[in-house]
Amino acid sequence: MKMDGRPVDVAKPHLFNERTLDGYRRTLADGIDRVVSRIGRADRPFTGISAAALAREIAEVDLDRPLGEAAVALDELEDVYLRDAVYFHHPRYLAHLNCPVVIPALLGEAVLTAVNSSLDTWDQSAGGTLIERRLIDWTAGRLGLGPYADGVFTSGGTQSNLHALLLAREEALAGGREKQHRLRVITSEAAHFSVRKSAKLLGLAPNAVIVVETDADRRMRPAALARELDRCRRENLPVMAVVATAGTTDFGSIDPLPEIARLCAGAGAWLHADAAYGCGLLVSRTRRHLLDGVERADSVTVDFHKSFFQPVSSSAVLVRDRAVLRHAAYHADYLNPAGTAGRIPNQVDKSLQTTRRFDALKLWLTLRVMGPDAIGALFDEVVDLAAATWVLLNEDPRFEVVTRAQLSTVVFRYLPADPGRALAGEANLYAREALAASGAAMVAATRVDGRHYLKFTLLNPETTLDDIAHVLDLLAGHAERYVNDRVPLGVSAG
Ligand SMILES: Cc1ncc(COP(=O)(O)O)c(C=O)c1O
């Protein structure tokens, strides 16, 4: 590409329009080829590079001296990104709630960024708005939220939870805002941290979130919820919302939704179901019943980028009564004048965001190419794998496993035999770091009852039980070395 001439003449060939379509096709094809080559060669989910080493490479890039050619920038990108990225498609990426993605969704991503619709107003999106609305209706139908349901796509579960709790707060304050400092949100100790973050963002009191205990399967105890609802009533603390989790981040446990819904109805409390993770059950042909009760929620979070094999980001918040969405509606003459509400389908009237990606297109193409059953079959596969992994761990004397998962996570730890037992926490932390540094596999870590544990989040239907067994051997090897280096005479957990 020519680098001389007036800057604007140099810049114009980079604009995407009817005159630059050949360049668009060539450039994108080159980018796809680099990804193809990288994915084809990735024998590990990660290279294990340190943040400091990568930061040095990135700091050396002179952002004021452009390379001119996309091909040259892609060469550079190999070094600053592609070579050392964390690859979620790899069967030994077993760490966080990141799924491998399906090709129809990648197609959607390519189309939506090129057309670049913004879903805030009809006059910036046209059909995109209607496609998003159809998908919201489809999701609400799968949830069973009834004829008045509605919702909107969001950037992720955190935003969906915040949005739902904002609506709940506004409903709770309908009689007067002076009680805001007394509002309470009840959730379980296994709930996602975005519940507490939302409470803070919503200006609730620092002690507004009441955390109730879970049972041995890490599901909210309805008796504990009943006790707290009762206490709040007696102490004149209005319960703004109860947040039940359908698929907790650590344990994949699903709170007992029917009992919780019954208690919420009795107390007149808003029920929010955080199904960010568990929403994959909506398309499972064998496990949909695990979400029974979700149809009684006032609001629901679903993250298609967790269990529908969609690229980040793709999430939605849904409500049973579309009228509550008005609490986040503002009008501007330059965008969505008040008189247009209801007449022109402006999604900004329902959203916390203004300019917003057409993420719904990815799910649309996924459903149109593959259909819901195919997505459900992929999710069922990883839930089956988690069940088999639990059996494997339960029979392995080197490890202790916490709960039998309802979804696809398994929390466990390496358990050194005495006299190394006291080093269990450090040994597990070390094993996780050593594994990541080797790049051979990636697992997550968490704490259970104050102790360090490891976690598999299984979202890749290509991961096999052999992969799991191999990773367990690697983890045990690292942990054992850690213990043996510190405990004389050698220790083995066997
Ligand atoms: C249960 C649950 N809710 C909400 C979230 C937040 O979702 P996001 O990361 O998309 O904001 C997560 C993320 O892991 C989650 O597990």
Side-chain angles (χ1 to χ4, degrees), residues 99-103 105 304-311 366 374-380 382 459-461:
C99 52
V101 295
V102 292
I103 293 172
F304 303 113
H305 63 213
K306 290 190 182 14
S307 48
F308 271 67
F309 304 92
Q310 299 294 294
T366 301
I375 292 296
L378 292 176
F379 192 56
D380 274 335
V382 294
L459 283 173
N460 192 339

Side-chain angles (χ1 to χ4, degrees), residues 111-390:
V111 173
L112 77 92
T113 53
V115 180
N116 201 25
S117 298
S118 179
L119 280 252
D120 40 343
T121 53
W122 163 257
D123 70 359
Q124 299 175 75
S125 63
T129 288
L130 304 181
I131 285 175
E132 172 169 305
R133 288 184 161 210
R134 244 333 266 292
L135 285 168
I136 288 290
D137 290 346
W138 177 83
T139 309
R142 291 253 162 184
L143 288 164
L145 288 181
Y148 307 110
D150 200 356
V152 71
F153 272 65
T154 70
S155 62
T158 301
Q159 190 191 338
S160 295
N161 284 346
L162 172 65
H163 194 159
L165 290 175
L166 166 72
L167 303 178
R169 184 196 69 182
E170 293 303 294
E171 287 288 296
L173 293 180
R177 307 198 76 82
E178 66 287 348
K179 58 184 172 201
Q180 169 147 338
H181 67 285
R182 284 188 284 116
L183 293 182
R184 294 293 181 267
V185 174
I186 306 181
T187 194
S188 94
E189 57 196 354
H192 191 255
F193 78 146
S194 53
V195 175
R196 272 176 291 129
K197 200 184 253 194
S198 298
K200 183 164 192 175
L201 287 168
L202 291 171
L204 305 188
N207 57 348
V209 178
I210 299 173
V211 171
V212 300
E213 66 263 25
T214 54
D215 62 16
D217 292 326
R218 310 285 158 175
R219 305 165 76 219
M220 184 191 283
R221 280 187 195 277
L225 172 61
R227 194 187 59 229
E228 287 303 324
L229 284 170
D230 195 43
R231 183 175 68 81
C232 288
R233 187 184 49 76
R234 279 185 281 106
E235 296 178 12
N236 192 23
L237 299 169
V239 177
M240 173 192 118
V242 171
V243 179
T245 314
T248 59
T249 317
D250 271 349
F251 304 103
S253 46
I254 299 169
D255 287 339
L257 299 172
E259 284 128 294
I260 293 172
R262 191 175 48 74
L263 290 169
C264 286
W270 177 290
L271 172 57
H272 175 63
D274 178 357
Y277 176 18
C279 63
L281 297 171
L282 291 175
V283 284
S284 164
R285 286 167 67 99
T286 54
R287 294 185 172 88
R288 169 62 182 82
H289 62 277
L290 293 175
L291 285 181
D292 283 355
V294 76
E295 69 283 355
R296 298 174 64 185
D298 295 288
S299 55
V300 184
T301 288
V302 293
D303 262 8
F304 303 113
H305 63 213
K306 290 190 182 14
S307 48
F308 271 67
F309 304 92
Q310 299 294 294
V312 177
S313 57
S314 182
S315 175
V317 61
L318 296 107
V319 290
R320 143 184 318 290
D321 174 7
R322 66 169 80 108
V324 300
L325 291 170
R326 73 184 182 285
H327 294 307
Y330 286 82
H331 294 279
D333 292 340
Y334 47 77
L335 193 68
N336 59 337
T340 59
R343 193 166 53 80
I344 299 178
N346 290 329
Q347 294 293 83
V348 72
D349 296 349
K350 307 174 187 177
S351 175
L352 298 188
Q353 293 168 263
T354 305
T355 302
R356 191 163 54 84
R357 288 166 57 86
F358 181 21
D359 284 315
L361 181 62
K362 297 176 287 192
L363 181 60
W364 179 267
L365 282 175
T366 301
L367 293 178
R368 298 311 297 137
V369 174
M370 298 172 63
D373 288 355
I375 292 296
L378 292 176
F379 192 56
D380 274 335
E381 186 84 354
V382 294
V383 179
D384 288 340
L385 178 66
T389 299
W390 184 88

